[in-house]
Amino acid sequence: MRLYFDETAFVHEMDRVREKQFLKQVEAYDAQLAIIMRQQGYHRIDSVERTVIFTFGEITFRRNRWRKGQTTRYPVDEWLGLTAYMRYSPEMVLHMAKHASKMSYREVCRTIRDAYRLIVTKDAVLKAVKCVGELFSKKERYRFYMENKEPQKMTVKRLYVEGDGVLVKTTSGGDNRQNTDIAHFMVHTGSEKVGNSHKRYGLENKHEIVHTNYEKAKEELLDYLYNHFEITDQTILITNSDNGTGYTKRAFKEIKDALGIKQHEHFWDAYHLNEKIHKFFKPYPLPLKELMFKAIRTHHKSVMITVLDTVESLILSEEEMERYQRFRRKLVSNFKDTKPPKLRGLSSRGIGGMESQHRKVTYRMKNRGMYWSLKGAHAMACLILLERIDQLEELFFGEWRQQYALYEENRFSAGYANHRTKSPPSIRTYKSGHKTGRWRTNAK
């Protein structure tokens, strides 16, 4: 017999108390709905048992089954958000998805076993991630079909757009394995102080877009910019990237032209630029590297050329020469993009936040020997972004789901079909309006 407080026994006792309280609530709700169901013309068939894993335990409960004509309903299941054959509660699915954004599916199973005292399977965690992907797709359709009001746009002087890609291992079935580039764009309007701290700053009006298809990601980016920002003659587009394929100044210039922005300032991301300089100059004398950084800092191209010419005189092999020529071509052709913000009359605050935002995706999805399906990679990337900004709960339980459910319920009814024939819903997209510089509506 223990001579000290048995916390484990106490926790199990509380589990039993919670189970009894839950069963009482289920029984009370079922009895309360009985009168309403009969008023609606339903008659009770029987009471059916069901076992579901909730965040507070695995519980078996009974609930009434009602029928009217060919329609069968379980009011308790509807109240609990349970659909047919659903083994885990919506809240439990949300918790599994949250954990999956940070750790492998097997680790999620272990964490839930240790923290929740519940057994879940790896396949259940996978389904939770897929659920996020499906809900995300539904919310995108909701955005097009349910929002009839003209969006309220922000007028901003500076509009920041940054982009980067991450290569992840994907498979399309069987042994067909490949690398897929996940496109990642970030939009914000500058930096703002966080809390009462004078040193901490966060990005203002931040929005992120990820997709396994680069063109779709770019289209979503343009849609978002058109719908949320009022472009004026004073608007400055400030872009930042590592100048990789798909994220060069030319790619961002297409956005500038599409939005009708007059001034565009593009930066070669300082983190990636400094990393390249450190790596390239490692075999060479330290003063050359320091002089190169001074050339970048003061934006003196002649000094940069002098440093590169000096390096060329030190080269002894063809392989080293090829490496040098690649570095020189990229640095010379993109030298304009290395001009520091201060020399352009801009603040450096708010520029270059992409790397820290991008790391949350790369940390979870790269270098762990994992292979993703294209849908799975997209779902996981969206899951990570939503979880980091605390928007997963809104995705699962937000009011948009009730409104979207009404739309889904009525979309194929006769009334909706007639309404659709007379007045089709309008969709505002970049493609539907970019040619004329204003929004047109397309029927879909």
Side-chain angles (χ1 to χ4, degrees):
M1 181 177 178
R2 291 189 179 185
L3 299 178
Y4 52 87
F5 176 67
D6 191 340
E7 186 171 341
T8 302
F10 179 78
V11 168
H12 288 308
E13 179 60 31
M14 289 301 99
D15 287 342
R16 289 191 290 271
V17 171
R18 281 195 296 269
E19 181 176 355
K20 290 178 181 178
Q21 291 177 339
F22 172 76
L23 293 176
K24 283 182 180 180
Q25 287 196 36
V26 168
E27 186 178 352
Y29 183 82
D30 225 356
Q32 179 184 346
L33 264 287
I35 297 174
I36 298 175
M37 295 300 290
R38 290 190 177 96
Q39 288 176 347
Q40 294 178 356
Y42 287 87
H43 63 277
R44 181 180 177 278
I45 302 299
D46 54 15
S47 178
V48 185
E49 196 174 77
R50 182 173 191 174
T51 301
V52 175
I53 296 179
F54 299 89
T55 56
F56 50 85
E58 181 175 0
I59 298 179
T60 300
F61 58 95
R62 301 188 70 87
R63 76 274 197 244
N64 292 329
R65 176 167 56 173
W66 299 81
R67 183 171 295 163
K68 181 172 72 173
Q70 299 298 317
T71 303
T72 301
R73 288 179 60 187
Y74 298 87
V76 168
D77 288 2
E78 296 170 11
W79 179 50
L80 297 174
L82 301 172
T83 57
Y85 310 110
M86 197 169 173
R87 170 74 170 154
Y88 302 89
S89 72
E91 188 75 26
M92 190 70 225
V93 175
L94 169 63
H95 283 230
M96 287 191 286
K98 278 185 176 181
H99 289 302
S101 71
K102 305 181 188 74
M103 59 187 77
S104 70
Y105 298 161
R106 294 187 188 279
E107 283 301 318
V108 172
C109 296
R110 294 189 185 99
T111 299
I112 290 177
R113 180 196 63 193
D114 296 339
Y116 298 71
R117 302 175 305 282
L118 295 169
I119 302 299
V120 300
T121 65
K122 182 171 69 71
D123 290 340
V125 181
L126 173 60
K127 287 180 181 178
V129 174
K130 287 182 178 179
C131 180
V132 171
E134 291 167 2
L135 287 175
F136 193 81
S137 298
K138 286 181 179 180
K139 194 169 185 182
E140 285 300 298
R141 290 197 292 272
Y142 162 80
R143 181 170 68 89
F144 283 126
Y145 289 101
M146 301 295 289
E147 292 182 351
N148 296 319
K149 295 181 180 180
E150 189 69 21
Q152 186 176 0
K153 298 183 180 182
M154 290 182 284
T155 301
V156 293
K157 290 185 178 180
R158 293 186 176 93
L159 184 58
Y160 297 78
V161 179
E162 302 193 24
D164 202 354
V166 53
L167 281 176
V168 298
K169 297 176 181 179
T170 59
T171 177
S172 55
D175 295 327
N176 186 16
R177 296 182 174 182
Q178 59 191 17
N179 288 326
T180 298
D181 187 41
I182 296 180
H184 186 187
F185 289 101
M186 179 179 70
V187 179
H188 64 91
T189 57
S191 61
E192 59 182 352
K193 288 183 180 179
V194 178
N196 298 322
S197 174
H198 296 289
K199 296 182 179 180
R200 289 189 61 197
Y201 284 82
L203 299 179
E204 190 176 18
N205 300 311
K206 186 184 73 171
H207 179 76
E208 296 179 74
I209 293 168
V210 290
H211 209 292
T212 50
N213 184 303
Y214 173 81
E215 294 301 327
K216 287 185 178 180
K218 197 170 179 181
E219 185 178 324
E220 285 184 26
L221 172 64
L222 286 168
D223 283 345
Y224 181 81
L225 295 174
Y226 263 111
N227 276 297
H228 290 82
F229 299 101
E230 190 70 47
I231 305 302
T232 68
D233 291 342
Q234 285 72 45
T235 302
I236 303 174
L237 177 64
I238 301 172
T239 59
N240 180 78
S241 72
D242 64 356
N243 280 344
T245 304
Y247 306 96
T248 60
K249 183 176 182 179
R250 180 181 297 178
F252 290 105
K253 185 179 181 298
E254 292 176 7
I255 298 173
K256 166 198 173 269
D257 294 338
L259 294 171
I261 295 177
K262 293 185 177 180
Q263 184 177 348
H264 175 208
E265 298 289 343
H266 180 71
F267 291 88
W268 186 349
D269 183 67
Y271 173 85
H272 289 92
L273 175 61
N274 293 342
E275 188 180 45
K276 281 185 178 295
I277 293 174
H278 278 298
K279 185 176 180 181
F280 176 80
F281 280 92
K282 199 170 184 180
Y284 305 110
L286 181 61
L288 288 176
K289 181 174 73 172
E290 292 175 345
L291 193 56
M292 175 58 75
F293 275 120
K294 183 178 180 180
I296 298 295
R297 190 169 58 253
T298 58
H299 202 62
H300 282 159
K301 190 172 184 178
S302 58
V303 176
M304 179 199 70
I305 295 297
T306 301
V307 173
L308 291 174
D309 290 343
T310 305
V311 169
E312 186 176 8
S313 67
L314 301 174
I315 294 175
L316 301 175
S317 67
E318 291 185 7
E319 183 180 353
E320 192 179 358
M321 178 61 73
E322 289 178 5
R323 176 174 171 268
Y324 162 78
Q325 288 175 343
R326 286 195 302 270
F327 178 80
R328 180 178 183 128
R329 277 196 302 269
K330 184 153 189 177
L331 192 58
V332 170
S333 62
N334 295 288
F335 185 71
K336 287 183 178 179
D337 303 336
T338 68
K339 189 175 183 178
K342 187 177 181 180
L343 298 182
R344 306 192 203 193
L346 298 170
S347 169
S348 60
R349 189 173 290 133
I351 302 173
M354 188 66 188
E355 184 62 27
S356 61
Q357 303 298 322
H358 199 53
R359 194 176 292 119
K360 60 197 175 192
V361 178
T362 58
Y363 177 77
R364 174 66 180 89
M365 301 186 68
K366 281 193 72 174
N367 303 325
R368 295 188 179 185
M370 295 174 290
Y371 281 85
W372 307 85
S373 67
L374 287 178
K375 283 187 177 181
H378 183 216
M380 177 54 70
C382 292
L383 168 60
I384 292 169
L385 296 188
L386 289 172
E387 197 279 331
R388 296 305 186 272
I389 58 174
D390 297 322
Q391 287 296 309
L392 262 186
E393 189 166 349
E394 197 276 336
L395 180 70
F396 272 78
F397 305 114
E399 291 183 6
W400 75 271
R401 292 202 64 182
Q402 297 176 357
Q403 297 174 17
Y404 183 80
L406 292 174
Y407 161 72
E408 287 280 86
E409 183 180 343
N410 296 324
R411 64 182 300 191
F412 294 118
S413 67
Y416 180 81
N418 291 335
H419 173 72
R420 188 176 185 183
T421 303
K422 294 177 184 177
S423 178
S426 296
I427 303 174
R428 293 186 305 275
T429 65
Y430 157 72
K431 285 187 175 180
S432 67
H434 76 286
K435 291 183 180 179
T436 60
R438 62 180 185 274
W439 288 111
R440 325 195 280 262
T441 55
N442 282 355
K444 187 134 180 171

